[in-house]
Amino acid sequence: MTKITIAIDGYSSCGKSTLAKALAQKLNYSYIDTGAMYRAITLFCLRNKLIDKKHHVDEEKVVKSLKKIKVDFKFNSHTKISETFLNDENIESLIRTMEVSDNVSKVSSIKEVREKMVILQREMGKNKAIVMDGRDIGTNVFPDAELKLFMTADVDIRAQRRKDEMTSHGQYFTVEEVKQNLMKRDYEDTHRKENPLTKAKDCIVLDNTDLSKEEQLEFVVKLIADMQLTREGVTG
Ligand code: DC
């Protein structure tokens, strides 16, 4: 089967990474969580006091610090996931906290931050056979991706799912607190100047409010199989 690029964009906590991971495993593709890259930079900023308590980001200092920041992934054959590294430190378990979530949209809106991350993302996907999720993958990182999904779901359902996930990691917040964070991020991500979250013209919208993880995977796998058939029909 021809190797393709799969771009998954959408609102916060819609299960993009759950679907992306499952798809990558099924197709034997690489999976890149681009949100983790912006979260890694946010962690660097928090540690280095480039963000104050009121969530004000010192953009100039962030931009100056970029040359000191290295973000990459290493595949953990035990957990079967690519873990995020910041300057060679495994920070996978440190980037899903509410503190990082509360500040990541601001950091990811900085032009120079995005430019640096997009270069890395394009490099990671240059040989196709990749599933990448984020906010600007189908619109900006890989505008020629063969499959572009835009994921959405009811915000209350998303907040509940995210709260359950956080609880399972020992982070306790109310559904309302989680919902406020999701709504704030969605607003900032869709309204920023640099590559905001928008639907690519040629995307397929996937609303998973009433779908299980298995059902959404089945839906996309069928979509890919149909696409491949059409392509073979056209080229064969
Ligand atoms: O997918 P996530 O929730 O972990 O992403 C965290 C934040 O990073 C999200 O609120 C916006 C930003 N982001 C982005 O601007 N562009 C991407 N391609 C991925 C994430």
Side-chain angles (χ1 to χ4, degrees):
M1 276 217 287
T2 327
K3 303 282 185 205
I4 62 168
T5 300
I6 303 175
I8 305 183
D9 291 304
Y11 297 109
S12 293
S13 294
C14 283
K16 297 185 296 294
S17 18
T18 305
L19 173 65
K21 257 182 240 166
L23 263 181
Q25 239 172 27
K26 178 118 196 152
L27 303 169
N28 204 15
Y29 278 19
S30 310
Y31 161 57
I32 297 294
D33 171 357
T34 62
M37 301 170 79
Y38 293 100
R39 286 174 180 270
I41 299 191
T42 305
L43 181 65
F44 177 97
C45 295
L46 286 165
R47 283 175 167 178
N48 289 280
K49 314 246 174 300
L50 307 182
I51 303 174
D52 68 18
K53 295 260 176 301
K54 289 183 178 156
H55 309 304
H56 176 264
V57 182
D58 188 332
E59 292 197 12
E60 217 180 295
K61 283 200 182 139
V62 175
V63 172
K64 273 198 186 133
S65 301
L66 278 176
K67 54 181 177 308
K68 288 188 273 175
I69 303 179
K70 184 175 89 167
V71 177
D72 54 9
F73 296 97
K74 289 191 182 80
F75 187 72
N76 180 331
S77 54
H78 188 64
T79 57
K80 301 257 178 297
I81 61 165
S82 283
E83 294 175 334
T84 320
F85 282 70
L86 170 65
N87 293 338
D88 299 318
E89 174 193 354
N90 186 337
I91 46 138
E92 187 59 35
S93 63
L94 306 178
I95 54 174
R96 320 266 167 207
T97 62
M98 193 58 112
E99 195 188 16
V100 171
S101 297
D102 269 342
N103 292 289
V104 63
S105 285
K106 286 251 170 65
V107 173
S108 69
S109 68
I110 302 171
K111 184 170 167 267
E112 290 81 354
V113 169
R114 302 202 69 79
E115 282 169 358
K116 179 169 167 136
M117 292 304 102
V118 170
I119 290 173
L120 291 174
Q121 291 155 8
R122 289 191 178 138
E123 180 61 28
M124 290 173 194
K126 68 176 185 217
N127 296 325
K128 295 188 181 274
I130 194 159
V131 188
M132 195 173 274
D133 80 348
R135 303 294 187 288
D136 62 338
I137 312 304
T139 48
N140 175 47
V141 182
F142 295 119
D144 297 329
E146 289 82 354
L147 178 60
K148 297 180 188 177
L149 296 170
F150 187 95
M151 289 179 68
T152 181
D154 177 87
V155 70
D156 289 305
I157 300 278
R158 289 193 276 139
Q160 186 62 51
R161 288 178 187 158
R162 181 86 182 114
K163 179 203 177 309
D164 293 343
E165 191 196 340
M166 294 180 91
T167 305
S168 74
H169 289 108
Q171 298 178 45
Y172 302 100
F173 292 94
T174 63
V175 182
E176 194 48 38
E177 283 168 328
V178 176
K179 184 177 167 184
Q180 289 310 318
N181 171 263
L182 297 187
M183 287 171 46
K184 183 168 160 275
R185 279 203 287 143
D186 286 346
Y187 183 85
E188 288 179 359
D189 295 342
T190 48
H191 286 79
R192 65 169 178 239
K193 202 166 137 248
E194 300 297 326
N195 302 121
L197 169 65
T198 55
K199 290 186 186 117
K201 282 197 195 76
D202 48 351
C203 74
I204 292 167
V205 177
L206 173 52
D207 183 334
N208 67 11
T209 305
D210 298 314
L211 292 181
S212 68
K213 290 174 189 172
E214 295 74 24
E215 285 168 334
Q216 70 175 8
L217 178 63
E218 202 181 310
F219 171 82
V220 181
V221 168
K222 181 164 184 320
L223 210 65
I224 296 170
D226 291 348
M227 257 176 58
Q228 299 274 11
L229 277 180
T230 316
R231 290 173 138 245
E232 279 161 25
V234 170
T235 54

Coordinates of all heavy atoms in Angstrom, one line a residue, residues 99-169:
E99 N -0.7 23.4 34.8 CA 0.1 24.6 34.7 C 0.6 24.8 33.3 O 0.6 25.9 32.7 CB 1.3 24.5 35.7 CG 2.0 25.8 35.9 CD 3.3 25.7 36.7 OE1 3.8 24.6 36.8 OE2 3.8 26.8 37.1
V100 N 1.0 23.7 32.7 CA 1.5 23.7 31.3 C 0.3 24.0 30.4 O 0.3 24.9 29.5 CB 2.2 22.4 30.9 CG1 2.5 22.4 29.4 CG2 3.5 22.2 31.6
S101 N -0.8 23.3 30.6 CA -2.0 23.5 29.8 C -2.5 25.0 29.8 O -3.0 25.5 28.8 CB -3.2 22.6 30.2 OG -2.8 21.3 30.0
D102 N -2.4 25.6 31.0 CA -2.8 27.0 31.1 C -2.0 28.0 30.4 O -2.4 29.1 30.2 CB -2.7 27.4 32.6 CG -4.0 27.1 33.3 OD1 -5.1 27.0 32.7 OD2 -4.0 27.0 34.6
N103 N -0.7 27.6 30.0 CA 0.2 28.6 29.4 C 0.6 28.2 27.9 O 1.2 29.1 27.2 CB 1.4 28.7 30.2 CG 1.2 29.4 31.6 OD1 0.9 30.6 31.6 ND2 1.2 28.6 32.6
V104 N 0.3 27.0 27.5 CA 0.8 26.6 26.2 C 0.2 27.3 25.0 O 1.0 27.6 24.0 CB 0.6 25.0 26.1 CG1 -0.9 24.6 26.1 CG2 1.3 24.5 24.9
S105 N -1.0 27.8 25.1 CA -1.6 28.5 23.9 C -0.8 29.8 23.6 O -0.5 30.1 22.5 CB -3.1 28.8 24.1 OG -3.8 27.6 23.9
K106 N -0.5 30.5 24.7 CA 0.3 31.7 24.6 C 1.6 31.5 24.0 O 2.1 32.2 23.0 CB 0.5 32.4 26.0 CG -0.8 33.0 26.5 CD -0.7 34.6 26.5 CE -2.0 35.2 26.8 NZ -2.4 34.9 28.2
V107 N 2.3 30.5 24.5 CA 3.7 30.2 24.0 C 3.6 29.7 22.5 O 4.4 30.2 21.7 CB 4.4 29.1 24.9 CG1 5.7 28.7 24.3 CG2 4.6 29.6 26.3
S108 N 2.6 28.9 22.2 CA 2.5 28.4 20.8 C 2.0 29.5 19.9 O 2.0 29.3 18.6 CB 1.6 27.2 20.8 OG 0.3 27.6 21.0
S109 N 1.6 30.7 20.4 CA 1.2 31.7 19.4 C 2.4 32.6 19.0 O 2.3 33.4 18.1 CB 0.1 32.6 20.1 OG 0.7 33.3 21.1
I110 N 3.6 32.3 19.5 CA 4.8 33.1 19.2 C 5.3 32.6 17.8 O 5.6 31.5 17.6 CB 5.8 33.1 20.3 CG1 5.3 33.5 21.6 CG2 7.1 33.9 19.9 CD1 6.2 33.3 22.8
K111 N 5.4 33.6 16.9 CA 5.8 33.3 15.5 C 7.1 32.4 15.4 O 7.1 31.4 14.8 CB 6.0 34.6 14.8 CG 6.3 34.5 13.3 CD 6.2 35.9 12.7 CE 6.8 36.0 11.3 NZ 8.2 36.4 11.4
E112 N 8.1 32.9 16.1 CA 9.4 32.2 16.0 C 9.4 30.8 16.6 O 10.1 29.9 16.2 CB 10.5 33.0 16.8 CG 10.9 34.3 16.1 CD 9.9 35.5 16.3 OE1 8.8 35.3 17.0 OE2 10.2 36.6 15.9
V113 N 8.5 30.6 17.6 CA 8.4 29.3 18.2 C 7.8 28.4 17.2 O 8.2 27.3 17.0 CB 7.5 29.4 19.5 CG1 7.1 28.0 20.0 CG2 8.1 30.1 20.6
R114 N 6.7 28.8 16.5 CA 6.1 28.0 15.5 C 7.0 27.7 14.4 O 7.0 26.6 13.9 CB 4.8 28.7 15.0 CG 3.8 29.1 16.0 CD 2.4 29.2 15.4 NE 1.9 28.0 15.0 CZ 1.3 27.1 15.8 NH1 1.2 27.3 17.1 NH2 0.9 25.9 15.3
E115 N 7.7 28.7 13.9 CA 8.6 28.5 12.8 C 9.6 27.4 13.1 O 9.8 26.5 12.3 CB 9.4 29.8 12.5 CG 8.5 30.7 11.7 CD 9.1 32.1 11.5 OE1 10.2 32.4 12.1 OE2 8.5 33.0 10.9
K116 N 10.2 27.4 14.3 CA 11.2 26.4 14.7 C 10.5 25.0 14.8 O 11.1 24.0 14.3 CB 11.8 26.8 16.1 CG 12.8 25.7 16.6 CD 13.6 26.3 17.7 CE 14.3 25.1 18.4 NZ 15.7 25.4 18.7
M117 N 9.3 24.9 15.3 CA 8.6 23.6 15.4 C 8.2 23.1 14.1 O 8.3 21.9 13.8 CB 7.4 23.7 16.4 CG 7.7 24.0 17.8 SD 8.9 22.8 18.5 CE 10.4 23.6 18.5
V118 N 7.8 24.0 13.2 CA 7.3 23.5 11.9 C 8.4 22.9 11.0 O 8.3 21.9 10.4 CB 6.5 24.7 11.1 CG1 6.2 24.3 9.7 CG2 5.2 25.0 11.9
I119 N 9.6 23.5 11.2 CA 10.8 23.0 10.5 C 11.0 21.5 10.9 O 11.2 20.6 10.1 CB 12.0 23.9 10.7 CG1 11.9 25.2 10.0 CG2 13.3 23.1 10.2 CD1 13.0 26.2 10.3
L120 N 11.0 21.3 12.2 CA 11.2 20.0 12.8 C 10.1 19.0 12.3 O 10.4 17.9 12.0 CB 11.2 20.0 14.3 CG 12.4 20.7 15.0 CD1 12.1 20.8 16.5 CD2 13.7 20.0 14.8
Q121 N 8.9 19.5 12.4 CA 7.8 18.6 12.0 C 7.8 18.2 10.5 O 7.6 17.0 10.2 CB 6.4 19.3 12.3 CG 6.2 19.5 13.8 CD 5.3 20.7 14.1 OE1 4.7 21.3 13.2 NE2 5.2 21.0 15.4
R122 N 8.2 19.1 9.7 CA 8.3 18.8 8.2 C 9.4 17.8 8.0 O 9.3 16.9 7.2 CB 8.5 20.0 7.4 CG 7.3 20.9 7.3 CD 7.4 22.0 6.3 NE 6.1 22.8 6.3 CZ 6.0 24.1 6.2 NH1 7.1 24.8 6.1 NH2 4.9 24.7 6.2
E123 N 10.5 18.0 8.7 CA 11.6 17.0 8.6 C 11.2 15.6 9.1 O 11.5 14.6 8.4 CB 12.8 17.6 9.5 CG 14.1 16.7 9.5 CD 14.7 16.6 8.2 OE1 14.6 17.5 7.3 OE2 15.4 15.6 8.0
M124 N 10.5 15.6 10.2 CA 10.0 14.3 10.7 C 9.1 13.6 9.7 O 9.0 12.3 9.7 CB 9.3 14.4 12.0 CG 10.1 14.9 13.2 SD 9.1 15.3 14.6 CE 10.2 16.1 15.7
G125 N 8.4 14.3 8.9 CA 7.4 13.7 8.1 C 7.8 13.7 6.6 O 7.0 13.3 5.7
K126 N 9.1 13.9 6.4 CA 9.5 14.0 4.9 C 9.3 12.7 4.1 O 9.2 12.7 2.9 CB 10.8 14.7 4.8 CG 12.0 13.8 5.3 CD 13.3 14.4 5.0 CE 14.4 13.5 5.4 NZ 15.5 14.0 6.1
N127 N 9.4 11.6 4.8 CA 9.3 10.3 4.1 C 7.9 9.7 4.2 O 7.7 8.5 3.9 CB 10.3 9.3 4.7 CG 11.7 9.8 4.5 OD1 12.0 10.4 3.4 ND2 12.6 9.5 5.4
K128 N 6.9 10.5 4.5 CA 5.5 10.1 4.7 C 5.4 8.9 5.7 O 6.3 8.8 6.6 CB 4.9 9.7 3.3 CG 4.8 10.8 2.4 CD 4.0 10.5 1.2 CE 4.0 11.6 0.2 NZ 2.9 12.5 0.5
A129 N 4.4 8.1 5.6 CA 4.1 7.0 6.6 C 4.1 7.6 8.0 O 4.8 7.1 8.9 CB 5.2 5.9 6.5
I130 N 3.4 8.7 8.1 CA 3.3 9.4 9.4 C 1.9 9.8 9.8 O 1.1 10.2 8.9 CB 4.3 10.6 9.4 CG1 4.6 11.1 10.8 CG2 3.8 11.7 8.5 CD1 5.8 11.9 11.0
V131 N 1.6 9.8 11.0 CA 0.4 10.4 11.5 C 0.8 11.5 12.5 O 1.5 11.3 13.4 CB -0.5 9.4 12.3 CG1 -1.9 10.0 12.7 CG2 -0.6 8.0 11.6
M132 N 0.4 12.7 12.1 CA 0.8 13.9 13.0 C -0.5 14.6 13.5 O -1.4 14.8 12.7 CB 1.7 14.8 12.1 CG 2.4 15.8 13.0 SD 3.6 16.7 12.0 CE 5.1 15.7 12.0
D133 N -0.5 14.9 14.7 CA -1.7 15.6 15.2 C -1.3 17.0 15.8 O -0.2 17.1 16.3 CB -2.6 14.8 16.2 CG -2.0 14.7 17.6 OD1 -0.9 15.1 17.8 OD2 -2.8 14.2 18.4
G134 N -2.3 17.9 15.7 CA -2.0 19.2 16.2 C -3.1 20.2 15.9 O -4.3 19.9 16.0
R135 N -2.7 21.4 15.5 CA -3.7 22.4 15.2 C -3.6 23.0 13.8 O -4.5 23.6 13.2 CB -3.6 23.6 16.2 CG -3.7 23.3 17.6 CD -5.1 22.8 18.0 NE -5.3 22.6 19.4 CZ -4.8 21.6 20.1 NH1 -4.0 20.7 19.6 NH2 -5.0 21.5 21.4
D136 N -2.4 22.8 13.2 CA -2.1 23.4 11.9 C -1.5 22.4 10.9 O -0.7 22.8 10.0 CB -1.2 24.7 12.0 CG 0.2 24.3 12.6 OD1 0.3 23.2 13.3 OD2 1.1 25.0 12.4
I137 N -1.7 21.2 11.2 CA -1.0 20.2 10.4 C -1.5 20.1 8.9 O -0.7 20.2 8.0 CB -1.0 18.8 11.1 CG1 -0.7 18.9 12.6 CG2 -0.1 17.8 10.4 CD1 0.7 19.5 12.9
G138 N -2.8 20.0 8.8 CA -3.4 19.9 7.5 C -3.4 21.3 6.7 O -3.4 21.3 5.5
T139 N -3.3 22.4 7.5 CA -3.4 23.7 6.8 C -2.0 24.3 6.6 O -1.8 25.0 5.6 CB -4.2 24.7 7.8 OG1 -3.6 24.6 9.1 CG2 -5.6 24.4 7.8
N140 N -1.0 23.9 7.4 CA 0.2 24.6 7.3 C 1.5 23.7 7.2 O 2.3 23.8 6.3 CB 0.4 25.5 8.5 CG 1.7 26.2 8.5 OD1 2.2 26.7 7.5 ND2 2.4 26.2 9.7
V141 N 1.5 22.7 8.1 CA 2.7 21.8 8.1 C 2.7 20.9 6.9 O 3.7 20.9 6.1 CB 2.8 21.0 9.4 CG1 4.1 20.1 9.4 CG2 2.7 21.9 10.6
F142 N 1.6 20.2 6.6 CA 1.5 19.4 5.5 C 0.3 19.7 4.7 O -0.7 18.9 4.7 CB 1.6 17.9 5.9 CG 2.9 17.4 6.5 CD1 2.9 17.0 7.8 CD2 4.1 17.6 5.8 CE1 4.1 16.6 8.3 CE2 5.3 17.2 6.3 CZ 5.3 16.7 7.6
P143 N 0.3 20.8 3.9 CA -1.0 21.1 3.2 C -1.3 20.1 2.1 O -2.4 20.0 1.6 CB -0.6 22.5 2.6 CG 0.8 22.7 2.8 CD 1.3 21.8 3.9
D144 N -0.3 19.3 1.7 CA -0.5 18.2 0.7 C -0.8 16.9 1.3 O -0.7 15.9 0.5 CB 0.7 18.1 -0.2 CG 1.0 19.4 -1.0 OD1 0.0 20.1 -1.2 OD2 2.1 19.8 -1.3
A145 N -1.0 16.8 2.6 CA -1.3 15.5 3.2 C -2.5 14.8 2.5 O -3.4 15.5 2.1 CB -1.7 15.7 4.7
E146 N -2.3 13.5 2.2 CA -3.4 12.8 1.5 C -4.6 12.7 2.3 O -5.7 12.6 1.7 CB -2.9 11.4 1.2 CG -1.8 11.3 0.1 CD -0.4 11.6 0.6 OE1 -0.2 11.9 1.8 OE2 0.6 11.4 -0.2
L147 N -4.5 12.6 3.6 CA -5.7 12.5 4.5 C -5.6 13.6 5.6 O -4.7 13.6 6.3 CB -5.8 11.1 5.1 CG -7.1 10.9 6.0 CD1 -8.4 11.2 5.3 CD2 -7.0 9.5 6.7
K148 N -6.7 14.4 5.6 CA -6.7 15.4 6.6 C -8.0 15.2 7.4 O -9.1 15.3 6.9 CB -6.8 16.8 6.0 CG -5.5 17.1 5.2 CD -5.6 18.5 4.6 CE -4.5 18.8 3.7 NZ -4.6 20.1 3.0
L149 N -7.9 15.1 8.7 CA -9.0 14.9 9.6 C -9.1 16.1 10.5 O -8.1 16.6 10.9 CB -8.9 13.7 10.5 CG -8.9 12.3 9.7 CD1 -8.5 11.2 10.7 CD2 -10.2 12.0 9.1
F150 N -10.3 16.6 10.7 CA -10.6 17.7 11.7 C -11.5 17.1 12.7 O -12.6 16.8 12.5 CB -11.2 18.9 11.0 CG -11.3 20.1 11.9 CD1 -10.3 21.0 11.9 CD2 -12.3 20.2 12.8 CE1 -10.3 22.1 12.8 CE2 -12.4 21.3 13.7 CZ -11.4 22.2 13.7
M151 N -11.0 17.0 13.9 CA -11.8 16.4 15.0 C -12.4 17.4 15.9 O -11.9 18.4 16.3 CB -10.9 15.4 15.8 CG -10.5 14.2 15.0 SD -9.4 13.1 15.9 CE -10.5 12.5 17.1
T152 N -13.6 17.0 16.3 CA -14.4 17.8 17.2 C -15.3 16.9 18.1 O -15.5 15.7 17.7 CB -15.2 18.9 16.5 OG1 -15.9 19.7 17.4 CG2 -16.2 18.3 15.5
A153 N -15.8 17.5 19.2 CA -16.7 16.7 20.0 C -17.3 17.7 21.0 O -16.8 18.8 21.2 CB -16.0 15.6 20.8
D154 N -18.5 17.4 21.5 CA -19.2 18.3 22.4 C -18.2 18.6 23.6 O -17.5 17.8 24.1 CB -20.4 17.5 23.0 CG -21.1 18.3 24.0 OD1 -22.0 19.0 23.6 OD2 -20.8 18.1 25.2
V155 N -18.2 19.9 24.0 CA -17.2 20.4 25.0 C -17.4 19.7 26.3 O -16.4 19.5 27.0 CB -17.1 21.9 25.0 CG1 -18.4 22.5 25.7 CG2 -15.9 22.4 25.8
D156 N -18.6 19.4 26.7 CA -18.8 18.8 28.0 C -18.3 17.4 28.0 O -17.7 16.9 29.0 CB -20.3 18.8 28.4 CG -20.8 20.2 28.7 OD1 -20.2 20.8 29.6 OD2 -21.8 20.7 28.1
I157 N -18.4 16.7 26.9 CA -17.9 15.3 26.8 C -16.4 15.4 26.9 O -15.7 14.6 27.5 CB -18.4 14.7 25.5 CG1 -19.9 14.6 25.4 CG2 -17.7 13.3 25.2 CD1 -20.5 13.4 26.1
R158 N -15.8 16.4 26.1 CA -14.4 16.5 26.1 C -13.8 16.8 27.5 O -12.8 16.2 27.9 CB -14.0 17.7 25.2 CG -14.2 17.3 23.7 CD -13.5 18.3 22.8 NE -14.2 19.5 22.6 CZ -13.8 20.8 22.6 NH1 -12.5 21.0 22.8 NH2 -14.5 21.8 22.3
A159 N -14.5 17.7 28.2 CA -14.0 18.1 29.6 C -14.1 16.8 30.5 O -13.1 16.6 31.3 CB -14.9 19.2 30.1
Q160 N -15.1 16.1 30.4 CA -15.3 14.9 31.2 C -14.2 13.9 30.9 O -13.5 13.3 31.8 CB -16.7 14.2 31.0 CG -16.9 13.1 32.0 CD -16.9 13.5 33.5 OE1 -17.6 14.4 33.8 NE2 -16.1 12.8 34.3
R161 N -13.9 13.6 29.6 CA -12.9 12.7 29.2 C -11.5 13.1 29.7 O -10.7 12.4 30.3 CB -12.8 12.6 27.7 CG -13.9 11.8 27.1 CD -13.7 11.9 25.5 NE -14.9 11.3 24.8 CZ -15.1 11.6 23.5 NH1 -14.3 12.4 22.8 NH2 -16.1 11.1 22.9
R162 N -11.2 14.4 29.6 CA -9.9 15.0 30.0 C -9.8 14.9 31.5 O -8.7 14.6 32.1 CB -9.8 16.4 29.5 CG -8.5 17.1 29.9 CD -7.5 16.8 28.8 NE -6.2 17.5 29.2 CZ -5.1 16.8 29.5 NH1 -5.1 15.5 29.5 NH2 -4.1 17.5 29.9
K163 N -10.9 15.2 32.2 CA -10.9 15.2 33.7 C -10.5 13.7 34.1 O -9.7 13.5 35.0 CB -12.2 15.6 34.3 CG -12.2 15.5 35.8 CD -13.6 15.4 36.3 CE -13.7 15.3 37.8 NZ -13.0 14.3 38.6
D164 N -11.2 12.7 33.5 CA -11.0 11.3 33.9 C -9.5 11.0 33.7 O -8.9 10.3 34.5 CB -11.9 10.4 33.1 CG -13.3 10.6 33.4 OD1 -13.6 11.2 34.5 OD2 -14.2 10.1 32.7
E165 N -9.0 11.5 32.5 CA -7.6 11.1 32.2 C -6.6 11.8 33.3 O -5.7 11.1 33.7 CB -7.2 11.7 30.8 CG -5.9 11.2 30.3 CD -5.5 12.1 29.1 OE1 -6.3 12.8 28.5 OE2 -4.2 12.1 28.8
M166 N -6.9 13.0 33.6 CA -6.1 13.7 34.6 C -6.2 13.0 36.0 O -5.2 12.8 36.7 CB -6.5 15.2 34.7 CG -6.2 16.0 33.5 SD -6.6 17.7 33.6 CE -5.1 18.4 34.2
T167 N -7.4 12.6 36.3 CA -7.6 11.9 37.6 C -6.7 10.6 37.6 O -6.1 10.3 38.6 CB -9.1 11.6 37.8 OG1 -9.8 12.8 37.7 CG2 -9.3 10.9 39.2
S168 N -6.7 9.9 36.5 CA -6.0 8.7 36.5 C -4.4 8.9 36.6 O -3.7 8.0 36.9 CB -6.2 7.9 35.2 OG -5.6 8.5 34.1
H169 N -4.0 10.2 36.4 CA -2.6 10.5 36.6 C -2.4 11.3 37.9 O -1.4 11.9 38.1 CB -2.1 11.4 35.4 CG -2.0 10.6 34.2 ND1 -2.8 10.8 33.1 CD2 -1.1 9.7 33.8 CE1 -2.4 9.9 32.1 NE2 -1.4 9.3 32.5

